[in-house]
């Protein structure tokens, strides 16, 4: 059998697909189509978010399609069913929660302010986007959305645990409580946030932040106050906080 011919430079001939199209060109076309499809998908998710804001948590696929300016069959080209679309929307909403809370956690340098900033940032998301938050909580029992909500809680708790652990170590204390404290803080604030939005935010955000900070900080400060620390270490830490 005769071997494939090479060009004058000795390189192999271009590899082609079954229909004779060079593979590099076919791959480029496939990549462009994948990018276009993803852009279209993101636009439809954005339209679903807008439909939620317009029609409330009970929005249906007809309303989403109308907001997007497409037919329902077009929606189903990108999402197998309604639950798949809602999972994608829940990821957008959960991402906004993380985007609001993460900077608040990273910026503070004092323990009580850390608690306050976390609570205020979480309540701030609810206050600014109550419809999206109610949707997320209403759908949180669905398997895919439940995983999104749980993953968001873990992400926020992990950031809190890291910062709380650093604070405890700076005081010469055991950092072991950092993770359970972080998860407890996230769960506590989430539960109160659900109550707050369900009841139409009957308490001002600033007042509720103060109430919760006072309650949670009393427990954390109790550990610091009861620790057997040399006075000079405590004073030095307090000077750093100032």
């Amino acid at each position: 059998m005769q071997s494939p011919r090479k060009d004058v430079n000795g390189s192999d001939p271009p590899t082609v697909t079954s229909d004779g199209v060079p593979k590099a060109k076919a791959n480029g076309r496939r990549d462009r189509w994948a990018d276009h499809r993803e852009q279209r998908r993101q636009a439809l998710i954005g339209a679903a978010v807008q439909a939620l804001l317009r029609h409330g948590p009970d929005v249906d696929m007809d309303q989403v399609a109308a907001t997007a300016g497409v037919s329902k069959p077009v929606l189903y080209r990108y999402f197998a069913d309604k639950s798949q679309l809602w999972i994608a929307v829940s990821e957008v909403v959960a991402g906004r929660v993380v985007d609001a809370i993460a900077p608040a956690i990273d910026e503070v340098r004092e323990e009580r302010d850390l608690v306050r900033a976390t609570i205020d940032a979480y309540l701030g998301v609810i206050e600014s986007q109550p419809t999206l938050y109610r949707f997320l909580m209403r759908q949180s029992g669905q398997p895919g959305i439940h995983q999104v909500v749980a993953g968001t809680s873990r992400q926020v708790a992990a950031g809190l645990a890291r910062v709380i652990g650093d604070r405890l170590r700076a005081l010469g204390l055991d950092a072991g409580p950092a993770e359970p404290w972080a998860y407890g803080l996230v769960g506590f604030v989430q539960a109160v946030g659900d109550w707050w939005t369900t009841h139409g935010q009957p308490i001002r955000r600033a007042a509720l932040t103060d109430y919760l900070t006072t309650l949670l900080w009393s427990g954390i400060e109790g550990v610091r106050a009861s620790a057997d620390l040399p006075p000079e270490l405590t004073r030095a830490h307090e000077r750093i906080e100032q």
Side-chain angles (χ1 to χ4, degrees):
M1 180 181 293
Q2 191 176 22
S3 61
R5 290 190 305 167
K6 295 185 177 182
D7 64 20
V8 293
N9 295 318
S11 60
D12 292 329
T15 305
V16 298
T17 64
S18 58
D19 57 359
V21 178
K23 281 192 174 181
K25 184 175 181 179
N27 289 342
R29 187 165 55 195
R30 185 173 63 247
D31 290 344
R32 286 193 298 274
W33 168 246
D35 289 344
H36 171 76
R37 181 176 176 81
E38 180 57 24
Q39 290 172 8
R40 183 64 165 153
R41 182 176 179 275
Q42 292 301 320
L44 292 173
I45 294 171
V49 171
Q50 292 304 312
L52 267 169
L53 293 173
R54 183 177 302 169
H55 300 288
D58 294 323
V59 62
D60 58 33
M61 292 293 273
D62 287 318
Q63 292 167 327
V64 172
T67 302
V70 300
S71 63
K72 281 175 64 176
V74 171
L75 283 179
Y76 288 119
R77 290 178 197 167
Y78 294 86
F79 305 96
D81 51 30
K82 183 178 179 179
S83 64
Q84 193 177 86
L85 174 59
W86 287 164
I87 289 172
V89 171
S90 72
E91 290 172 346
V92 171
V93 179
R96 293 181 182 182
V97 173
V98 173
D99 289 345
I101 296 177
I105 294 173
D106 290 338
E107 288 175 4
V108 296
R109 292 294 178 268
E110 196 275 330
E111 290 89 339
R112 185 183 177 98
D113 286 346
L114 174 64
V115 175
R116 173 183 291 278
T118 303
I119 294 170
D120 187 62
Y122 190 86
L123 295 179
V125 173
I126 298 176
E127 186 178 55
S128 63
Q129 304 182 62
T131 300
L132 296 182
Y133 185 83
R134 283 198 301 272
F135 162 80
L136 187 62
M137 292 300 102
R138 181 176 298 186
Q139 299 290 332
S140 62
Q142 301 300 320
I145 296 180
H146 173 74
Q147 293 172 356
V148 172
V149 173
T152 300
S153 297
R154 287 194 298 270
Q155 187 174 351
V156 173
L160 272 173
R162 173 179 51 79
V163 178
I164 292 172
D166 289 344
R167 304 295 187 272
L168 290 172
R169 282 185 288 271
L171 282 170
L173 296 173
D174 176 19
E179 192 165 1
W181 280 355
Y183 274 87
L185 175 60
V186 170
F188 179 83
V189 176
Q190 186 179 74
V192 175
D194 294 350
W195 166 84
W196 191 52
T197 189
T198 299
H199 289 78
Q201 302 176 11
I203 302 174
R204 290 184 302 106
R205 169 182 161 192
L208 185 56
T209 298
D210 285 341
Y211 296 158
L212 300 184
T213 301
T214 298
L215 177 61
L216 290 170
W217 176 245
S218 295
I220 297 175
E221 172 64 6
V223 175
R224 174 177 168 179
S226 64
D228 185 17
L229 293 174
E232 59 273 15
L233 178 59
T234 302
R235 287 196 295 271
H237 182 73
E238 290 172 350
R239 286 196 297 271
I240 292 174
E241 290 176 356
Q242 295 173 356

